[in-house]
């Protein structure tokens, strides 16, 4: 697959044109940002870890009937995906209180939610991704009612598939962010990435944070946590089973 010119550079990935009109190449960078780009850093090997981790999740979801952009892993840091018209709404799904929900509602981090909570954010760096609801989405024409109903259904299905899968790996899925896009056929499918950058993962035995909160909150050993997630997904679950972390 020939890599042509760069189409876009985001905070964590670059997108390249390919010889196929409906396919693009995503390149995962080691760069890390937090708080809408205010905090900047690099996490060694983050690019290849997130590429490997995300591709495992996208294959799992596809096997479970979720339409996704994933086509093929091309190299350590590169994945070939369907070119989509990205829907400018970030979908956050929460099982346990953490992060901005803890702040907004004054709840203690770690509190179980009686039902999963789904939230929408307007994807805008300029505005700092403000929280919105369905009425804002329709009023701004960001998505149609039928697109949003497909997105909500998929988000809850994805949550259940990931919860079940991660439970066996000794990982608690606290919350995560999803993005969707429209294909040339007009159908909505899952886009972007699913990685420790976009999810909160806690070790189910110790509660240790194994995600980007280690970078956001200066907890140290960020790359080690990402590596631990990849190892568990690949089946080497020594630390989960034998208590050696
Ligand atoms: P929050 O608690 O900061 O709102 O984050 C909720 C989830 O969304 C968490 O798993 C991290 C993820 N997330 C992103 O992927 N990108 C973002 O820009 C933000 C703010 C959160
Ligand atoms: N996406 C946010 C940023 O750009 C980071 C985050 O908190 O995940 O800085």
């Amino acid at each position: 697959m020939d890599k042509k010119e760069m189409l876009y550079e985001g905070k964590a990935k670059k997108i390249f044109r390919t010889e196929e009109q409906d396919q693009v190449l995503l390149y995962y960078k080691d760069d890390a940002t937090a708080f809408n780009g205010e905090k900047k850093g690099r996490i060694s090997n983050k690019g290849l870890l997130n590429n490997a981790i995300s591709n495992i999740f996208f294959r799992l979801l596809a096997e479970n009937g979720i339409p996704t952009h994933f086509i093929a892993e091309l190299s350590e840091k590169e994945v070939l995906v369907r070119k989509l018209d990205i829907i400018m709404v970030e979908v956050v799904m929460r099982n346990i209180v953490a992060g901005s929900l803890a702040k907004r509602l004054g709840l203690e981090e770690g509190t179980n939610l009686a039902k999963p909570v789904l939230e929408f954010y307007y994807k805008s760096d300029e505005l700092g991704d403000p929280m919105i609801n369905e009425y804002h989405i329709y009023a701004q024409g960001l998505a149609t009612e039928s697109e949003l109903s497909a997105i909500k259904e998929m988000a809850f299905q994805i949550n259940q598939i990931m919860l079940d899968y991660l439970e066996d790996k000794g990982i608690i899925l606290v919350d995560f962010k999803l993005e969707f896009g429209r294909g040339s056929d007009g159908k909505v499918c899952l886009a972007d990435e699913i990685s420790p950058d976009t999810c909160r993962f806690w070790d189910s035995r110790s509660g240790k944070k194994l995600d980007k909160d280690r970078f956001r909150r200066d907890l140290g050993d960020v790359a080690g946590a990402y590596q631990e997630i990849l190892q568990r997904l690949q089946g080497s679950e020594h630390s989960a089973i034998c208590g050696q972390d």
Side-chain angles (χ1 to χ4, degrees):
M1 174 56 61
D2 265 355
K3 186 165 153 186
K4 309 266 187 203
E5 79 274 11
M6 190 170 78
L7 298 172
Y8 178 78
E9 177 162 10
K11 288 183 289 235
K13 293 189 289 299
K14 293 177 185 174
I15 304 177
F16 293 88
R17 196 166 70 78
T18 69
E19 68 244 33
E20 298 293 334
Q21 234 200 333
D22 57 349
Q23 300 181 0
V24 289
L25 183 152
L26 302 187
Y27 172 90
Y28 282 79
K29 305 195 288 183
D30 289 343
D31 299 345
T33 65
F35 315 118
N36 201 27
E38 265 174 51
K39 177 171 175 159
K40 290 191 173 67
R42 278 176 84 77
I43 300 170
S44 55
N45 293 328
K46 179 168 88 79
L48 64 92
L49 290 165
N50 277 359
N51 187 34
I53 292 167
S54 191
N55 294 339
I56 290 172
F57 282 123
F58 273 76
R59 285 194 200 97
L60 169 79
L61 295 170
E63 280 162 18
N64 283 276
I66 303 292
T68 86
H69 70 170
F70 179 82
I71 299 174
E73 189 164 318
L74 295 179
S75 74
E76 273 192 333
K77 293 187 176 187
E78 294 171 324
V79 62
L80 185 67
V81 300
R82 286 179 66 197
K83 186 174 183 182
L84 301 174
D85 171 25
I86 294 292
I87 294 171
M88 299 306 274
V89 175
E90 298 193 353
V91 179
V92 168
M93 181 65 85
R94 302 178 187 271
N95 297 302
I96 294 176
V97 173
S100 68
L101 182 65
K103 273 203 194 126
R104 192 179 318 113
L105 299 186
L107 296 170
E108 195 177 339
E109 199 159 83
T111 309
N112 258 312
L113 292 161
K115 278 181 73 147
V117 169
L118 182 140
E119 297 169 348
F120 299 116
Y121 293 85
Y122 177 36
K123 194 171 151 59
S124 161
D125 283 342
E126 204 179 303
L127 300 174
D129 298 346
M131 193 183 198
I132 52 174
N133 66 30
E134 294 191 25
Y135 297 96
H136 299 103
I137 293 173
Y138 304 140
Q140 292 207 77
L142 300 177
T144 65
E145 286 194 39
S146 78
E147 285 173 340
L148 208 59
S149 104
I151 287 172
K152 284 189 287 185
E153 193 180 334
M154 276 192 262
F156 281 100
Q157 285 171 350
I158 291 166
N159 188 39
Q160 201 53 56
I161 295 164
M162 289 180 55
L163 277 171
D164 292 344
Y165 174 76
L166 290 169
E167 193 183 2
D168 289 347
K169 314 276 181 193
I171 300 167
I172 298 172
L173 179 62
V174 175
D175 55 31
F176 56 96
K177 184 263 302 175
L178 301 172
E179 294 187 27
F180 295 86
R182 303 172 188 95
S184 47
D185 55 2
K187 294 214 176 89
V188 174
C189 80
L190 183 66
D192 199 48
E193 67 178 280
I194 300 181
S195 72
D197 271 15
T198 64
C199 303
R200 284 195 175 91
F201 296 129
W202 293 353
D203 176 62
S204 52
R205 204 168 31 78
S206 65
K208 182 178 172 184
K209 296 185 197 314
L210 298 171
D211 56 62
K212 194 173 160 191
D213 270 348
R214 302 203 72 80
F215 170 76
R216 295 188 190 99
R217 304 179 189 190
D218 297 319
L219 300 175
D221 194 24
V222 187
Y226 283 53
Q227 184 73 52
E228 174 74 25
I229 291 295
L230 178 59
Q231 274 169 3
R232 295 221 195 156
L233 301 192
Q234 288 173 333
S236 30
E237 292 167 62
H238 272 296
S239 54
I241 293 160
C242 313
Q244 296 167 346
D245 60 12

